[in-house]
Amino acid sequence: MTVTLRAATVDDLMAVGRLHQRSRVAAYSSFLPPEALADPTPEALGAYWAARWPYERADHRMTVAERDGRLAGFSYLGPDDEGEAAVGLLHAIHLDPAERGRGIGRALMVDALDDMRARGWQRAMLWVMRDNTHARRFYERGDWQPTGVERDEVVGPVTTPQLRYARDL
């Protein structure tokens, strides 16, 4: 089974939205109620990416992972959300639930970090839901460390705390 990474195109965005929804449900269902995960729908997430893409394409990068020609995951990165010029933000890594534990998440993270280094950034940041222990372990194995900064994110009717993680590039 061959895995390839490539830059996303506009033709990928609806499939990315569908995968994003499946990934969210699988990753967050152990700590968020079903009503928090019912919206947005896969179609709405596709529309979200289709609307966001044109505005951020110049300084953000979406990479898709394919296994045997089928979308298996994606990553999304861009400049830091707090305006630090030497810092990049890893906005997301999402996988098809069947791909968890098969190395695609790691490949997407390594690729994202390489891209950040190539852009001249010296540090990388990300936000992860505090209760998403699987993702936190994944990032910590990749040398990410919590910074002590927290924020709240609203997911459907639920407010959930997020932790900021960082690592040197």
Side-chain angles (χ1 to χ4, degrees):
M1 295 181 141
T2 304
V3 175
T4 58
L5 302 182
R6 64 171 175 80
T9 69
V10 69
D11 293 335
D12 295 314
L13 300 178
M14 291 309 290
V16 163
R18 289 188 298 271
L19 181 142
H20 191 174
Q21 174 61 4
R22 290 191 311 275
S23 175
R24 290 175 78 250
V25 169
Y28 308 156
S29 62
S30 67
F31 60 91
L32 289 178
E35 60 272 16
L37 299 173
D39 256 345
T41 65
E43 295 75 22
L45 273 172
Y48 163 81
W49 284 111
R52 185 174 179 176
W53 180 261
Y55 296 101
E56 294 183 342
R57 255 182 105 160
D59 61 359
H60 285 66
R61 178 174 173 233
M62 179 183 284
T63 299
V64 295
E66 295 177 320
R67 183 183 300 278
D68 298 326
R70 183 186 58 80
L71 183 64
F74 74 94
S75 64
Y76 195 66
L77 64 87
D80 182 49
D81 60 345
E82 294 184 2
E84 291 288 328
V87 176
L89 184 68
L90 180 57
H91 289 270
I93 293 178
H94 282 279
L95 302 177
D96 184 294
E99 294 292 344
R100 284 178 73 175
R102 300 183 70 195
I104 289 181
R106 175 89 175 136
L108 285 166
M109 180 171 47
V110 168
D111 177 74
L113 294 172
D114 287 346
D115 185 271
M116 289 178 172
R117 281 185 206 95
R119 292 171 184 239
W121 294 330
Q122 298 167 356
R123 288 191 49 82
M125 299 285 184
L126 62 82
W127 291 97
V128 64
M129 290 183 189
R130 183 188 65 204
D131 295 334
N132 191 346
T133 55
H134 180 81
R136 290 179 59 193
R137 282 192 305 270
F138 169 77
Y139 290 118
E140 288 167 7
R141 285 191 307 269
D143 295 327
W144 295 83
Q145 298 298 316
T147 65
V149 176
E150 294 188 28
R151 71 178 184 189
D152 287 334
E153 178 181 358
V154 176
V155 180
V158 177
T159 299
T160 183
Q162 290 187 327
L163 306 176
R164 190 158 168 97
Y165 273 62
R167 64 160 285 159
D168 291 331
L169 296 170

